[in-house]
Amino acid sequence: MERGTEGRTASALFAGFRALGLFSSDIPHVVRFNSLKRRFYVTTCVGKSFHTYDVQKLSLVAVSNSVPQEICCMAADERLVFAAYGNVFSAFARNKEIVHTFKGHKAEIHLLQPFGDHIISVDVDSILIIWHIYSEEEYLQLTFDKSVFKISTILHPSTYLNKILLGSEQGSLQLWNVKSNKLLYTFPGWKVGVTALQQAPAVDVIAVGLMSGQVIIHNIKFDETLMKFRQDWGPITSVSFRTDGHPVMAAGSPCGHIGLWDLEDKKLINQMRNAHSTAIAGLTFLHREPLLVTNGADNALRIWIFDGPTGEGRLLKFRMGHSAPLTKIRYYGQNGQQILSASQDGTLQSFSTVHEKFNKSLGHGLINKKRVKRKGLQNTMSVRLPPITKFAAEEARESDWDGIIACHQGKLSCSTWNYQRSTIGAYFLKPKELKTDDITATAVDITSCGNFAVIGLSSGTVDVYNMQSGIHRGSFGKDQAHQGSVRGVAVDGLNQLTVTAGSEGLLKFWNFKNKILIHSMNLDSSPKMMLLHRDSGILGLALDDFSISVLDIETRKIVREFSGHQGQINDMAFSPDGRWLISAAMDCSIRTWDLPSGCLIDCFLLDSAPLNVTMSPTGDFLATSHVDHLGIYLWSNISLYSVVSLRPLPNDYVPSVVMLPGTCQTQDVEVSEETIEPSDEMIEYDSPEQLNEQLVTLSLLPESRWKNLLNLDVIKKKNKPKEPPKVPTSAPFFIPTVPGLVPKYAVPEQNHDPQQSKVVNLGILAQKSDFCLKLEEGLANNKYEAAINLLKEMGPSGIETELRSLSPDCGGSVEVMQSFLKMIGVMLDRKRDFEVAQAYLALFLKLHLKMLPSEPLLLEELTRLSSQVEKNWIHLQSLFNQSMCVLNYIKSALL
């Protein structure tokens, strides 16, 4: 995506990463058996993609690539998974990649049935098409009259070659031979619509689920009804049979109950009430195992095991998210790995950004938890608390007492929750003297130490409670803190200051300890919500006129004002460093404001209005929740891993719509050519070698190249080995012996010639180095750039060798030495490579100090150079002294 403001197609700061908390929809799941791995896998639909779980651990194995529309039905065989969306369906290989796409239906597809090398699809207009999977060609098309036979279910009976059984909404069933394209038999039915068909473990026997709640066990070979069962919970949604030796049938219902029927005794043996909070979308007994897999539209996938003596199922494993849209989300803790979320389903849950196995539910809030336990109430709906609207959490004392405070819809009392124990806490915090039902809790906050909770009420009262004991610790103001409803409360990081906002348009600052009003200020409009960044003391206020005001709580002044939203602001979030303020509003936009510059730096639109935004404490993710969505959507912070332009957006900038991220972590994004070409804003700043001719500029050389030049002889002496390494004498293959009666070994002759030397005297062969030649050229044309670069590339030993060879005794000349001094003068004049020039000059003086006074030419050059060095140093010293003086004043003065 482009990062420039012109032509930018998406957000410059945030990229869709993945969705959390999505596990199932109202589409029935599909169970597959992998014969190679000897394992069962269950596939559930999630919006535009599907998840595949290993049944053994219920761990996520794969997430499919997304399809253009919402998936409306699924099916699977041993190799492929089929998913229909709209009037098209696709085949997925390896639970991920689309390998075949089938187009030909005019209406939405609602049934799929694998059939060997073919696949049967049925749309809502009752047009049945049989496709060859690998060639993607139509094999046969059957058209049914919707008014007479509208297909509702499809089944391939076991051992019935080339035959399919179709159920209709009118109640009749038809058996077709698809190879010969003939209708073999029509079952008159039971004058009630067929909702489910399932093959029984016995050949020729099927179970027929009806709209009336009846399950008919029917022999299709002889067209005989073997037995009938009836459930009073509405139409049968799905049917499954146990195949592990127990003659048990399970039937699902629209109200979330499952009935278990004994086929031998022909009676109901058990009821699994409230297995799901919504309709049972699908249920499947695993082959030859006492395990039942269920899923529903309540965003839950559950596995039940039947190991009890009475045949009832107990919950073995589950993956569960919220079953209703979210009301509030916030990051919990400082590691940025847990997100607390409250929902309209009344639950408080924690979702991990790392792995699903760390997810946990804190459950439903109960009005009287002890009474429910004591009486063992089965129907707890009447004692459940309403949905949580706002909550505040702090992990400082989570192991000692409750660390979460929440206010509920239409309730005066606020509940406490314990994150570590994953349950509702011990206290309901509310003022004792208030008895009216009209007053509700509207704002909550918890101190950074985790000891106190501050609760604002719709009556304008703001109370403080102790989290450990639940005791009321005082109220702000005499009677009430505000004349109107409290819209926000916040406590600073040191428990010194409390800030409250009221609907009457007043913002008040209180002393937290003695509850005395310190300051009050009028706002331009009534506040909608309030958010405090404790580390920086910056307070964000969203107002009812769709604007945002930012205050500094130390000076109690408005420091920034932002406007641009076209709808009610739902939530705000600060970045961890307090530089960005991110706001979400009902105009479907998420805007990022840069506080230091006071500008809008990023804006993007979404299909669904964002209700909540929260930024990770580590700054790596932005989490959002949306209207009518059950999941939490993560957006990665692009500025952490690439260069991002933070230039303000123009006033006429039109943001584009960004798709919500899917459930897969790795998004297949094709990089366009435009991203490779850097825009004018993204060209990196290239610093010149010297900012200004009047500024002293240092070289970029490491200190080891110049700092120890004067001490090089000491370093060499220190590093000199005490004795040269000795090479061990190698023994000859045949050891020589001295001739004689007694064998003796011959001693090798040793060379005692002291005159032999390994040092080669070059004599007149010594040549001038490149550095000397460059200095001679510089003396003629006064250009020393090449000589300076040669010297900067050398190491300390090479520099010393070059400077030593400038002397006439070592092959140099007085003219070359004069040229070197002129080169140092040029470096000091230009004020570049300042510290290197000083180091080279100091080494030169050390090496040639005895010879310099005897040469008038060099002495004259040194005098000129000395005054130049002194002038530069006096100027620098005055600047140093001035800076030191200002620093000492700032450190010691009482400001």
Side-chain angles (χ1 to χ4, degrees):
M1 66 186 74
E2 284 188 55
R3 299 284 179 257
T5 56
E6 294 181 6
R8 191 169 76 191
T9 58
S11 170
L13 288 180
F14 300 107
F17 180 61
R18 62 175 297 209
L20 299 177
L22 296 175
F23 300 101
S24 174
S25 67
D26 59 345
I27 307 300
H29 65 265
V30 177
V31 174
R32 304 167 64 202
F33 180 72
N34 189 318
S35 55
L36 186 64
K37 296 183 178 180
R38 307 292 298 172
R39 284 189 175 182
F40 286 98
Y41 293 93
V42 58
T43 301
T44 61
C45 168
V46 178
K48 298 179 181 179
S49 60
F50 58 83
H51 292 184
T52 303
Y53 295 91
D54 182 357
V55 172
Q56 187 174 1
K57 294 183 179 179
L58 211 56
S59 56
L60 185 63
V61 174
V63 177
S64 73
N65 294 335
S66 296
V67 293
Q69 301 176 45
E70 298 281 331
I71 294 175
C72 50
C73 69
M74 288 196 309
D77 60 13
E78 291 183 356
R79 298 178 300 275
L80 302 172
V81 177
F82 302 92
Y85 46 96
N87 57 359
V88 179
F89 72 99
S90 298
F92 291 77
R94 294 176 291 279
N95 299 310
K96 187 175 180 66
E97 304 157 357
I98 296 177
V99 290
H100 302 291
T101 301
F102 304 87
K103 299 179 180 179
H105 282 282
K106 299 291 189 294
E108 182 179 306
I109 300 168
H110 75 119
L111 291 173
L112 290 174
Q113 175 66 48
F115 199 70
D117 289 339
H118 296 77
I119 175 96
I120 303 171
S121 61
V122 183
D123 60 24
V124 292
D125 290 340
S126 292
I127 296 175
L128 183 148
I129 302 178
I130 302 176
W131 310 79
H132 191 275
I133 294 177
Y134 299 103
S135 65
E136 301 179 12
E137 295 176 352
E138 282 190 27
Y139 172 76
L140 178 67
Q141 179 170 329
L142 299 174
T143 304
F144 296 84
D145 187 356
K146 286 196 299 182
S147 61
V148 178
F149 192 87
K150 184 175 183 181
I151 302 174
S152 59
T153 54
I154 184 171
L155 175 70
H156 168 53
S158 295
T159 70
Y160 280 58
L161 191 65
N162 301 325
K163 297 173 183 65
I164 58 170
L165 182 65
L166 303 175
S168 68
E169 291 185 2
Q170 286 77 15
S172 59
L173 292 91
Q174 293 183 4
L175 184 65
W176 283 78
N177 186 320
V178 294
K179 186 174 184 181
S180 60
N181 191 13
K182 289 183 179 179
L183 174 62
L184 302 179
Y185 191 76
T186 300
F187 299 90
W190 297 266
K191 299 180 181 179
V192 183
V194 179
T195 58
L197 287 176
Q198 181 63 38
Q199 174 69 49
V203 181
D204 303 326
V205 179
I206 62 164
V208 183
L210 303 178
M211 285 288 293
S212 61
Q214 279 186 312
V215 182
I216 310 296
I217 308 298
H218 197 76
N219 188 312
I220 57 173
K221 184 175 183 180
F222 302 107
D223 192 10
E224 291 180 356
T225 298
L226 304 180
M227 58 189 81
K228 292 183 180 181
F229 304 106
R230 184 180 183 85
Q231 295 182 174
D232 298 329
W233 301 322
I236 302 298
T237 57
S238 53
V239 179
S240 185
F241 291 89
R242 283 184 70 172
T243 53
D244 60 335
H246 294 76
V248 175
M249 179 189 70
S253 66
C255 53
H257 306 324
I258 298 174
L260 298 173
W261 301 86
D262 191 318
L263 300 177
E264 283 186 353
D265 298 338
K266 301 180 182 180
K267 67 178 183 179
L268 180 70
I269 57 171
N270 220 314
Q271 299 179 26
M272 297 169 60
R273 287 184 171 268
N274 300 314
H276 288 267
S277 59
T278 58
I280 305 292
L283 54 84
T284 308
F285 276 107
L286 299 187
H287 186 60
R288 293 186 177 178
E289 290 195 25
L291 297 177
L292 177 65
V293 182
T294 64
N295 80 300
D298 59 349
N299 195 18
L301 172 67
R302 293 184 170 95
I303 297 179
W304 311 80
I305 184 168
F306 293 82
D307 55 358
T310 57
E312 75 274 7
R314 65 177 177 88
L315 189 60
L316 181 66
K317 300 184 186 74
F318 66 92
R319 288 284 180 264
M320 183 182 69
H322 287 293
S323 59
L326 309 184
T327 57
K328 187 80 170 178
I329 62 169
R330 282 292 178 265
Y331 268 94
Y332 182 78
Q334 296 301 315
N335 58 6
Q337 295 180 358
Q338 299 290 339
I339 299 177
L340 275 177
S341 68
S343 165
Q344 291 176 8
D345 61 9
T347 60
L348 183 64
Q349 297 192 31
S350 171
F351 293 98
S352 171
T353 60
V354 179
H355 197 278
E356 290 174 345
K357 66 181 179 182
F358 300 119
N359 294 355
K360 63 179 182 178
S361 173
L362 280 70
H364 284 272
L366 299 177
I367 296 174
N368 194 326
K369 188 176 176 182
K370 291 182 180 178
R371 185 170 69 89
V372 172
K373 280 189 173 181
R374 186 170 62 248
K375 293 189 176 183
L377 296 178
Q378 294 297 322
N379 185 13
T380 59
M381 296 299 293
S382 58
V383 293
R384 283 182 178 176
L385 287 168
I388 294 172
T389 54
K390 290 182 174 60
F391 66 82
E394 180 57 53
E395 65 170 354
R397 304 301 293 269
E398 65 170 6
S399 58
D400 300 321
W401 51 76
D402 302 338
I404 303 171
I405 178 77
C407 54
H408 298 262
Q409 182 179 327
K411 293 283 287 184
L412 171 61
S413 58
C414 291
S415 58
T416 61
W417 298 73
N418 193 295
Y419 184 83
Q420 206 167 51
R421 297 202 311 267
S422 304
T423 181
I424 192 169
Y427 305 112
F428 287 95
L429 308 179
K430 66 175 181 178
K432 292 182 179 179
E433 60 273 9
L434 288 177
K435 301 294 182 183
T436 55
D437 297 332
D438 299 336
I439 300 174
T440 59
T442 55
V444 289
D445 194 20
I446 189 169
T447 57
S448 57
C449 61
N451 287 306
F452 298 100
V454 183
I455 301 174
L457 306 179
S458 58
S459 61
T461 307
V462 179
D463 299 298
V464 180
Y465 297 87
N466 187 289
M467 288 294 291
Q468 182 181 8
S469 62
I471 298 174
H472 185 263
R473 293 299 186 190
S475 302
F476 293 96
K478 291 182 179 181
D479 296 326
Q480 53 191 26
H482 290 273
Q483 297 298 319
S485 173
V486 178
R487 296 286 177 83
V489 293
V491 184
D492 69 345
L494 300 176
N495 292 4
Q496 300 293 315
L497 199 65
T498 302
V499 188
T500 62
S503 59
E504 76 277 10
L506 282 178
L507 185 70
K508 295 186 178 183
F509 298 83
W510 308 81
N511 185 301
F512 180 79
K513 189 173 182 181
N514 55 28
K515 315 292 188 297
I516 296 174
L517 181 64
I518 300 174
H519 182 70
S520 178
M521 63 182 295
N522 287 305
L523 300 173
D524 296 337
S525 178
S526 177
K528 170 69 172 59
M529 67 161 296
M530 186 172 71
L531 182 67
L532 174 66
H533 187 259
R534 282 176 174 161
D535 293 342
S536 62
I538 297 296
L539 185 75
L541 277 166
L543 306 180
D544 282 344
D545 61 357
F546 311 152
S547 66
I548 300 172
S549 296
V550 181
L551 291 89
D552 183 358
I553 63 172
E554 292 292 330
T555 60
R556 305 185 194 104
K557 292 182 179 178
I558 294 178
V559 293
R560 293 287 185 272
E561 288 185 341
F562 301 120
S563 60
H565 280 294
Q566 304 299 317
Q568 173 186 294
I569 298 170
N570 292 327
D571 201 5
M572 298 186 297
F574 282 102
S575 61
D577 56 4
R579 292 183 63 90
W580 297 346
L581 177 63
I582 303 156
S583 58
M586 289 303 291
D587 58 3
C588 296
S589 70
I590 294 180
R591 296 172 182 254
T592 305
W593 313 87
D594 187 57
L595 295 181
S597 64
C599 298
L600 175 68
I601 56 173
D602 187 60
C603 177
F604 61 97
L605 296 176
L606 297 152
D607 291 330
S608 181
L611 286 178
N612 295 279
V613 288
T614 177
M615 191 82 174
S616 166
T618 55
D620 49 358
F621 291 114
L622 175 74
T624 63
S625 69
H626 301 266
V627 173
D628 296 333
H629 283 263
L630 306 182
I632 298 172
Y633 298 89
L634 293 182
W635 308 80
S636 59
N637 186 355
I638 298 175
S639 66
L640 293 184
Y641 53 84
S642 66
V643 182
V644 172
S645 168
L646 294 182
R647 292 197 177 183
L649 298 179
N651 295 328
D652 57 350
Y653 176 72
V654 179
S656 57
V657 177
V658 178
M659 299 298 294
L660 288 174
T663 51
C664 184
Q665 290 188 12
T666 54
Q667 299 291 330
D668 299 325
V669 180
E670 295 183 2
V671 180
S672 61
E673 296 179 0
E674 299 164 357
T675 60
I676 302 170
E677 301 175 3
S679 62
D680 56 345
E681 293 187 9
M682 298 313 298
I683 297 174
E684 294 186 13
Y685 175 71
D686 188 13
S687 176
E689 292 187 6
Q690 191 172 18
L691 297 176
N692 194 305
E693 293 181 358
Q694 301 301 319
L695 297 176
V696 170
T697 306
L698 305 181
S699 70
L700 296 176
L701 294 178
E703 289 186 349
S704 58
R705 294 281 188 93
W706 57 269
K707 195 173 184 179
N708 298 315
L709 284 176
L710 287 178
N711 305 319
L712 202 59
D713 51 350
V714 179
I715 295 171
K716 285 183 176 179
K717 188 176 180 182
K718 183 179 178 181
N719 295 340
K720 185 178 180 182
K722 294 180 180 178
E723 57 181 15
K726 295 179 180 178
V727 180
T729 56
S730 57
F733 187 76
F734 295 105
I735 301 176
T737 56
V738 178
L741 295 175
V742 180
K744 292 183 179 179
Y745 296 112
V747 179
E749 297 181 3
Q750 295 184 359
N751 187 10
H752 296 287
D753 185 8
Q755 299 298 324
Q756 188 175 0
S757 173
K758 292 183 180 180
V759 178
V760 180
N761 189 5
L762 296 176
I764 60 171
L765 294 177
Q767 295 182 349
K768 292 182 179 179
S769 66
D770 290 342
F771 179 63
C772 285
L773 295 175
K774 297 294 182 185
L775 285 178
E776 289 177 354
E777 290 177 9
L779 195 62
N781 56 19
N782 203 28
K783 292 182 179 178
Y784 293 100
E785 198 68 38
I788 294 171
N789 291 334
L790 270 177
L791 212 56
K792 285 168 68 175
E793 291 173 359
M794 296 180 186
S797 298
I799 294 170
E800 188 199 29
T801 305
E802 290 290 353
L803 296 192
R804 198 181 290 276
S805 65
L806 297 180
S807 170
D809 298 338
C810 299
S813 64
V814 177
E815 288 77 14
V816 173
M817 296 177 72
Q818 181 191 9
S819 179
F820 177 81
L821 292 175
K822 285 190 174 183
M823 181 192 78
I824 298 296
V826 169
M827 294 173 74
L828 294 176
D829 274 342
R830 293 189 306 175
K831 297 184 178 181
R832 283 171 58 181
D833 305 322
F834 193 77
E835 84 284 16
V836 173
Q838 301 282 349
Y840 294 164
L841 179 60
L843 181 61
F844 179 83
L845 294 176
K846 178 182 177 180
L847 294 176
H848 307 295
L849 188 62
K850 293 182 180 178
M851 178 202 155
L852 290 175
S854 60
E855 296 292 339
L857 194 64
L858 297 179
L859 202 58
E860 181 184 353
E861 194 67 41
L862 275 174
T863 306
R864 191 182 307 112
L865 197 60
S866 175
S867 62
Q868 190 177 356
V869 170
E870 187 177 3
K871 179 182 175 184
N872 284 342
W873 175 243
I874 289 172
H875 176 63
L876 278 177
Q877 194 172 26
S878 65
L879 293 176
F880 288 150
N881 290 339
Q882 184 180 357
S883 300
M884 292 293 291
C885 179
V886 173
L887 272 175
N888 285 330
Y889 171 74
I890 292 174
K891 286 167 66 178
S892 59
L894 295 174
L895 296 177

